Amino acid sequence: MANTSTRTLRLLSLLQSHRYWPGEQLAERLGISVRTLRRDIDRLRELGYPVESQRGVDGGYQLTAGAALPPLVVDDEEAVALAVGLQAAAQSAVEGLAESSVRVLAKVVQVMPARLRRQVEALRAMTLPAAWDGPTRAEVDPGMLTAVALACRDSEHLRFSYTAADGQHTDRQVEPHRLVSLGRRWYLVAYDLTRHQWRSFRVDRLTAPHSTGSRFRPRDLPAADAAEYVRTSLGNMPHPYRVEALVDAPAAAVRSRIGRWSRVEEVDAEHCRVFMTADSLDWPAMALGTLDADFRVLDPPELLELLRNWAARFNRA
């Protein structure tokens, strides 16, 4: 008979794999008596797992929803599926889902055996996303996100090479604070030990980030939270294009489509103004085109010219 701890984990795994287990069948699978099974069930309840029992000839056990999510036990195939699913969710446009997925992914990968990590990487490398839901996110390797997330969580110094907007390469050592998913990009908020100031770094411009293993005491961030710091930092940066358009659609409808990448102001019940800043006019043109509504470009003139060229090309198609 397996020791009590091993048997308890095996029992938990079986309960999580089926909605309902007859008592005698469950005891037989574990190779124990029905009396021992009842003791093991009581032990799971003490650990916080909500296990319901039904008495009688056909009596048995099942896990039910509780007040809090207890630890889960998954097999190898489930662990691989979980990690790949989290990697895909890390590229999600759903508000708040991307950052939560990276945090969970960091926890899963840390305890995953090397053989399973290889399966995860092979499956990810051979899988192409099929959906497109608006302006695309700058491509970031999930393994890189996981490495940075772990350094943030463990308060360990992080080193990487960074490519600035002008193409200049520099080596950085930072105290990582938090990852932020904003708009179409990932940002790392960190204290730059070389320049002695807080900075936000675009993660897609990082090369070979790795933890040094040395710990640090976290500093106070000069903002309410990391997301606010990134928004403020981006607001202070110059943008080549500032777009303004009048859209023949209610403000709420426009916000639901492109609100994450723009500022929408209501004009009246059927019209609104859209404001965007961008380093390229391509994605504002695509964003306006997804609204399924007429619009009039107020600024800049270059966007009008771009739309005329697109219209002519589409007509020829």
Side-chain angles (χ1 to χ4, degrees):
M1 181 185 299
N3 63 53
T4 302
S5 298
T6 302
R7 193 175 67 242
T8 302
L9 287 174
R10 173 64 176 157
L11 169 60
L12 179 58
S13 178
L14 290 172
L15 286 172
Q16 290 176 342
S17 65
H18 287 281
R19 180 172 177 81
Y20 180 79
W21 279 96
E24 291 188 359
Q25 183 180 349
L26 188 56
E28 183 180 349
R29 287 289 297 269
L30 292 167
I32 57 177
S33 67
V34 174
R35 176 178 295 181
T36 300
L37 174 62
R38 285 197 293 267
R39 290 200 298 266
D40 288 350
I41 291 292
D42 289 338
R43 187 174 297 110
L44 282 180
R45 289 169 175 159
E46 292 172 0
L47 293 172
Y49 292 91
V51 183
E52 281 190 355
S53 58
Q54 296 183 14
R55 300 183 181 277
V57 178
D58 296 326
Y61 303 94
Q62 68 180 31
L63 277 176
T64 61
L69 181 67
L72 301 177
V73 176
V74 297
D75 59 26
D76 286 4
E77 291 184 356
E78 293 167 340
V80 171
L82 177 63
V84 172
L86 288 169
Q87 288 178 345
Q91 306 299 323
S92 171
V94 178
E95 185 70 29
L97 182 61
E99 292 176 54
S100 301
S101 299
V102 169
R103 290 198 300 270
V104 179
L105 183 60
K107 296 176 183 178
V108 171
V109 170
Q110 187 183 34
V111 297
M112 183 174 284
R115 70 179 189 282
L116 296 186
R117 288 187 211 162
R118 288 193 292 271
Q119 293 182 38
V120 170
E121 178 56 30
L123 186 56
R124 186 195 66 81
M126 297 306 295
T127 304
L128 295 176
W132 182 85
D133 54 5
T136 57
R137 179 185 298 278
E139 187 69 23
V140 176
D141 177 59
M144 180 184 297
L145 282 174
T146 303
V148 175
L150 286 172
C152 292
R153 188 201 67 178
D154 298 335
S155 297
E156 293 184 349
H157 289 115
L158 189 69
R159 287 179 177 169
F160 53 83
S161 296
Y162 190 70
T163 305
D166 60 5
Q168 182 180 2
H169 300 274
T170 55
D171 293 328
R172 304 295 183 96
Q173 181 168 341
V174 303
E175 295 176 354
H177 176 73
R178 195 64 52 84
L179 278 168
V180 174
S181 173
L182 187 62
R184 299 170 296 151
R185 296 190 175 99
W186 281 98
Y187 296 89
L188 166 64
V189 175
Y191 186 82
D192 192 327
L193 293 172
T194 303
R195 304 188 179 185
H196 303 289
Q197 61 182 353
W198 284 94
R199 296 289 304 274
S200 62
F201 301 92
R202 273 179 49 176
V203 179
D204 58 301
R205 292 178 176 171
L206 269 60
T207 303
H210 62 280
S211 170
T212 67
S214 61
R215 305 288 294 273
F216 64 88
R217 177 176 295 179
R219 305 170 189 260
D220 292 332
L221 182 68
D225 55 41
E228 179 182 312
Y229 180 83
V230 173
R231 290 191 187 97
T232 302
S233 299
L234 295 177
N236 294 331
M237 293 176 61
H239 293 277
Y241 300 106
R242 296 185 181 276
V243 175
E244 180 180 355
L246 182 64
V247 181
D248 297 344
V254 173
R255 287 193 189 99
S256 68
R257 290 289 190 97
I258 61 171
R260 292 195 66 191
W261 306 286
S262 64
R263 178 167 57 90
V264 181
E265 294 183 356
E266 183 176 6
V267 174
D268 55 39
E270 299 298 330
H271 301 83
C272 64
R273 287 180 184 267
V274 174
F275 301 88
M276 291 177 276
T277 55
D279 50 12
S280 168
L281 289 175
D282 288 340
W283 87 259
M286 288 188 290
L288 290 169
T290 63
L291 296 178
D292 193 25
D294 289 341
F295 61 89
R296 182 159 57 93
V297 173
L298 304 178
D299 198 53
E302 294 90 339
L303 180 55
L304 283 172
E305 185 63 27
L306 175 69
L307 291 174
R308 292 191 186 100
N309 291 336
W310 280 22
R313 190 178 311 121
F314 290 165
N315 282 331
R316 289 194 298 271

